[in-house]
Amino acid sequence: MVNEPHSASNGSTSSRSDGSSSGSEGSKDSSRCSTPVLDAERHERLREKMRRRYDSGDKWFSLEFFPPRTANGAVNLISRFDRMGMGGPLFIDVTWHPAGDPGSDKETSSMIIANTAVNYCGLETVLHMTCCNQTKEEITGHLQKAKRLGLKNIMALRGDPIGEEWEDEVEGFNYAVDLVKHIRCEFDDYFDICVAGYPKGHPEAESYEADLRHLKEKVSAGADFIITQLFFRSETFLAFMKDCQAIGITCPIVPGIFPIQGYHSLRQLVKLSKLEVPQEIKEVIEPIKDNDAAIRNYGVELAVSMCRELLDSGLVSGLHFYTLNREVATTEILRRLGIWKEDPRRPLPWAVSAHPKRRVEDVRPIFWASRPKSYIHRTQEWDDFPNGRWGNSSSPAFGELKDYYLFYLKSKSPREELLKMWGEELMSEESVFEVFTCYISGEPNREGHKVTCLPWNDDPLAAETNLLKEQLEKVNRRGILTINSQPNINGKPSTDPIVGWGPSGGYVFQKAYLEFFTSSENITALLKVLKTKKYELRVNYHIVNVRGENITNAPDLQPNAVTWGIFPGREIIQPTVVDPVSFMYWKDEAFALWIEQWAKLYEEESPSRMIIQYIHDNYYLVNLVDNEFPLENCLWQVMEDTFELLNCPTEQ
């Protein structure tokens, strides 16, 4: 039965569009098909992933970051996580700074940065935790919070003293081994635990041999793997590794690599680690200490050479990089080593979360395709997630999105850049059309600035969208303001570099999809076209305004699978759906972005702000699905027929 409500008063889905939720009601209550997991690594513990790579000899890397000091720094760091995550790190780790309130809910705390990396960037993450300046109860509280946030890995450290000398923690722990024991006692095997190793011996240890014995105590207490302090010569690490093996340490030992990136950062790190820089390195660096580019180039060459020696030894398969929150040098080193693996294929067509409770998730509505962090934020209270099929979604409890200020939901671009891209001053609705068109075309705007993002997509166009570039550019010029689209695909290999996803040997399929804002005048013509015999059975549509007045021909409000894949030995996977009920939750967010991210760039009552406000208040949000995926995409012809009708007023 076709459901075509026009207002909230006649039983339309808009009665559910306020989107509020509470924790206990947040479960996605629907029938589920248990489907074989596409990406087995999503279900493996970190120690299992690491052990598998050691056994196979596969090369891998991991990255260390520290929490930023400012909110803007947090935005930049999360962007860096996304970029460096593309290279395929096995994990990242986030350091713990006792002076920076590391266990708090501040956006700059170690806990929240690590939580964001796991939940919103999909990165396996190790959270550092130290004994310094903490009681046993405080440490337990931090570990409970880490578990609650979905963190599964802890690096247990004593930590550096706040003053010159270590002061005993009367109600806490004074050694990392005690922290390891405490974690195992209180949390059993929930956490994978990493500890630190010192290739030259800990500076406070009575001897190198004694320090090795302390390291073995940490492993015996329950540590799963070791990451070492930095060193300057490959033979230092290789000797240390053999010494560890000689006393019975059998867990993975990962060398810590510090690319020299600047004279002052090197001096600071050496001071903290109490290491001596080899004379041959000093002799190179001292004459160029004021030339950052020269030092960085030297640091890259030195690191590449040392890493190759480690990897060629046959004893090392993984490398851990101390990035200092920078990416250029580390990325260059990894590329030159051939272990930066920017595989365009994805396990699923959308960005996955690494939270343990989302490991079975393999279906999402398409609407959040360009805003995955927002989707994760709005569904964080769900107790279970769609697996195999979307199921009955008559009442999905999406949390309201009022927290546009959250650092992981903010645009990466500062206000000044956004104004350059979207217009210091808008003259008319057509000025907005031009912004959308420039984003699609890649051409500079009238002021010579390229538009690299929109409120609904903070990144440049995806490669898949480029397949539709010509048609998208054409319709945006005429006021069809597109925010989401996908081409129809009929059995492309899952290894296809543009539309492929999932394991090798499969085939992927898509229905053509188009989502856009447009004026009420255009909607009148569009509906006439959609109701013709030519399209009435072929195209599903959902049209809604900011007030929730909506029109749809979705049969009984059922979800429509728009992406699916067939893989050897598995059931069909359908990871993306157009769900009419979820669309009503998405529309609140989609309309709000006009105001929250665009209108608020301008002064209140200014002409520019009033133009955006008018679009927000009067335009409609539309999604169209062409169900005949084996045939040529008909949605562009729908648009042409609409424009033709608009040009013939007598027909309207």
Side-chain angles (χ1 to χ4, degrees):
M1 177 179 176
V2 175
N3 176 25
E4 283 202 320
H6 286 259
S7 70
S9 63
N10 61 3
S12 82
T13 58
S14 59
S15 62
R16 292 186 290 269
S17 65
D18 59 358
S20 61
S21 76
S22 62
S24 62
E25 296 171 353
S27 174
K28 184 73 171 55
D29 184 19
S30 60
S31 58
R32 299 283 172 241
C33 289
S34 181
T35 306
V37 179
L38 281 176
D39 183 7
E41 281 215 346
R42 290 176 72 192
H43 284 253
E44 285 186 319
R45 300 180 65 134
L46 176 55
R47 66 192 183 201
E48 293 166 349
K49 298 176 189 177
M50 193 177 295
R51 178 60 69 184
R52 188 158 50 78
R53 280 165 173 76
Y54 269 97
D55 291 345
S56 67
D58 289 346
K59 304 297 187 284
W60 58 272
F61 69 94
S62 54
L63 306 167
E64 180 171 294
F65 300 93
F66 58 82
R69 294 182 179 179
T70 66
N72 283 339
V75 174
N76 293 335
L77 183 59
I78 299 312
S79 297
R80 186 161 288 124
F81 286 172
D82 287 337
R83 290 192 298 273
M84 298 193 78
M86 292 172 64
L90 185 61
F91 65 90
I92 70 162
D93 68 342
V94 178
T95 62
W96 185 270
H97 288 264
D101 204 3
S104 73
D105 290 331
K106 294 177 182 175
E107 55 199 1
T108 55
S109 74
S110 303
M111 188 75 74
I112 296 304
I113 292 295
N115 165 54
T116 305
V118 167
N119 285 299
Y120 298 99
C121 303
L123 296 170
E124 185 84 63
T125 303
V126 178
L127 173 65
H128 287 212
M129 196 163 291
T130 72
C131 307
C132 183
N133 206 29
Q134 298 193 99
T135 65
K136 178 179 175 180
E137 288 70 28
E138 287 171 333
I139 289 172
T140 301
H142 292 321
L143 290 166
Q144 288 169 338
K145 183 174 182 178
K147 181 179 179 180
R148 196 165 61 248
L149 293 174
L151 296 164
K152 291 275 295 178
N153 313 295
I154 298 292
M155 184 161 189
L157 302 160
R158 187 199 74 171
D160 296 318
I162 290 180
E164 288 296 318
E165 300 291 332
W166 178 267
E167 295 183 11
D168 282 357
E169 299 290 347
V170 179
E171 298 181 15
F173 305 117
N174 292 296
Y175 299 100
V177 66
D178 298 323
L179 179 54
V180 174
K181 289 176 180 176
H182 178 69
I183 296 171
R184 285 287 175 244
C185 177
E186 293 294 320
F187 297 89
D188 195 26
D189 201 38
Y190 176 82
F191 291 107
D192 284 6
I193 301 175
C194 174
V195 293
Y198 299 86
K200 301 283 280 185
H202 192 283
E204 296 176 24
E206 52 268 39
S207 68
Y208 174 74
E209 291 73 22
D211 192 50
L212 283 177
R213 290 195 295 273
H214 294 321
L215 180 58
K216 187 176 181 184
E217 288 173 9
K218 290 190 282 188
V219 174
S220 299
D224 297 293
F225 62 100
I226 298 163
I227 295 177
T228 76
Q229 175 64 278
L230 65 97
F231 51 90
F232 295 101
R233 297 187 179 111
S234 60
E235 55 266 28
T236 301
F237 173 82
L238 295 174
F240 170 74
M241 192 167 183
K242 289 175 181 175
D243 291 340
C244 288
Q245 292 170 343
I247 65 166
I249 295 175
T250 58
C251 70
I253 304 173
V254 187
I257 308 299
F258 171 64
I260 298 172
Q261 301 184 61
Y263 184 75
H264 296 293
S265 61
L266 174 63
R267 288 188 63 182
Q268 181 67 15
L269 209 64
V270 165
K271 180 182 176 182
L272 289 173
S273 61
K274 297 182 171 63
L275 288 175
E276 181 67 30
V277 179
Q279 186 60 34
E280 67 268 22
I281 294 178
K282 286 182 181 177
E283 289 174 357
V284 173
I285 283 181
E286 283 296 333
I288 58 172
K289 64 182 180 182
D290 296 323
N291 188 333
D292 285 345
I295 286 185
R296 190 186 67 81
N297 290 339
Y298 171 70
V300 167
E301 294 296 333
L302 189 67
V304 168
S305 174
M306 186 171 73
C307 290
R308 280 192 176 134
E309 290 170 5
L310 292 170
L311 295 172
D312 290 346
S313 71
L315 299 173
V316 174
S317 64
L319 304 167
H320 183 71
F321 285 84
Y322 297 108
T323 69
L324 300 184
N325 286 13
R326 303 176 190 172
E327 60 189 289
V328 175
T330 301
T331 302
E332 183 178 342
I333 293 163
L334 290 166
R335 288 185 189 279
R336 288 178 56 179
L337 292 171
I339 55 177
W340 178 273
K341 296 175 181 175
E342 205 163 295
D343 189 345
R345 281 188 303 131
R346 308 148 288 175
L348 289 162
W350 32 261
V352 299
S353 168
H355 194 293
K357 73 177 183 179
R358 301 186 85 112
R359 283 176 172 170
V360 298
E361 178 185 29
D362 64 6
V363 189
R364 286 184 190 172
I366 194 171
F367 318 122
W368 284 271
S370 298
R371 287 179 59 79
K373 292 181 175 67
S374 168
Y375 180 81
I376 291 167
H377 177 80
R378 296 187 68 177
T379 57
Q380 63 185 320
E381 300 297 335
W382 288 6
D383 296 318
D384 67 300
F385 293 87
N387 170 238
R389 58 190 289 269
W390 183 249
N392 171 24
S393 62
S394 59
S395 58
F398 286 90
E400 285 187 273
L401 186 63
K402 294 182 178 178
D403 306 320
Y404 293 93
Y405 62 88
L406 290 173
F407 69 96
Y408 48 81
L409 299 178
K410 282 183 179 177
S411 173
K412 296 187 284 283
S413 303
R415 179 177 182 273
E416 297 73 22
E417 287 297 317
L418 294 177
L419 283 169
K420 288 178 182 176
M421 289 190 281
W422 302 345
E424 301 275 357
E425 185 178 0
L426 301 174
M427 308 305 294
S428 64
E429 292 169 60
E430 284 71 22
S431 302
V432 176
F433 300 176
E434 287 182 20
V435 174
F436 277 79
T437 304
C438 288
Y439 175 67
I440 296 294
S441 69
E443 295 296 319
N445 61 21
R446 294 190 180 194
E447 285 70 43
H449 302 289
K450 287 203 170 187
V451 180
T452 59
C453 66
L454 290 174
W456 305 269
N457 190 346
D458 205 36
D459 295 301
L461 281 187
E464 183 178 353
T465 310
N466 276 313
L467 298 174
L468 308 173
K469 194 171 182 178
E470 184 179 339
Q471 297 96 325
L472 288 169
E473 186 178 343
K474 186 175 180 180
V475 298
N476 275 275
R477 287 190 192 280
R478 301 185 69 171
I480 303 295
L481 306 179
T482 60
I483 61 171
N484 196 353
S485 60
Q486 71 175 28
N488 58 313
I489 301 295
N490 186 18
K492 284 266 190 182
S494 60
T495 52
D496 185 274
I498 296 176
V499 299
W501 54 273
S504 300
Y507 293 90
V508 297
F509 302 80
Q510 292 180 177
K511 294 178 183 178
Y513 177 76
L514 193 63
E515 185 180 338
F516 55 89
F517 291 98
T518 198
S519 67
S520 56
E521 179 189 18
N522 288 348
I523 290 298
T524 302
L526 175 63
L527 276 170
K528 287 191 174 185
V529 170
L530 290 171
K531 291 179 181 181
T532 61
K533 187 175 288 188
K534 186 176 179 182
Y535 302 119
E536 64 178 348
L537 296 178
R538 179 168 176 175
V539 178
N540 280 121
Y541 57 85
H542 199 156
I543 302 168
V544 64
N545 64 13
V546 72
R547 294 174 295 282
E549 299 162 348
N550 75 106
I551 308 166
T552 180
N553 69 342
D556 299 321
L557 299 180
Q558 288 299 305
N560 185 352
V562 291
T563 307
W564 63 100
I566 299 172
F567 303 94
R570 303 172 189 266
E571 296 178 16
I572 293 175
I573 310 295
Q574 53 171 57
T576 311
V577 298
V578 169
D579 174 45
V581 179
S582 301
F583 185 62
M584 296 302 289
Y585 290 89
W586 161 247
K587 69 92 181 166
D588 295 333
E589 180 175 339
F591 276 103
L593 287 166
W594 282 106
I595 305 300
E596 296 293 334
Q597 295 210 9
W598 199 334
K600 287 184 177 179
L601 295 175
Y602 309 109
E603 295 292 328
E604 286 192 41
E605 306 300 323
S606 66
S608 296
R609 186 155 182 166
M610 297 302 286
I611 289 167
I612 299 298
Q613 186 72 53
Y614 177 83
I615 291 174
H616 169 272
D617 293 348
N618 294 282
Y619 276 40
Y620 283 76
L621 179 64
V622 181
N623 77 60
L624 304 177
V625 178
D626 178 4
N627 290 298
E628 295 283 2
F629 66 91
L631 306 180
E632 186 176 350
N633 180 355
C634 77
L635 299 183
W636 308 118
Q637 191 57 51
V638 169
M639 295 295 102
E640 283 298 323
D641 292 351
T642 301
F643 296 141
E644 187 175 332
L645 188 58
L646 285 164
N647 291 331
C648 302
T650 53
E651 290 187 28
Q652 291 198 67

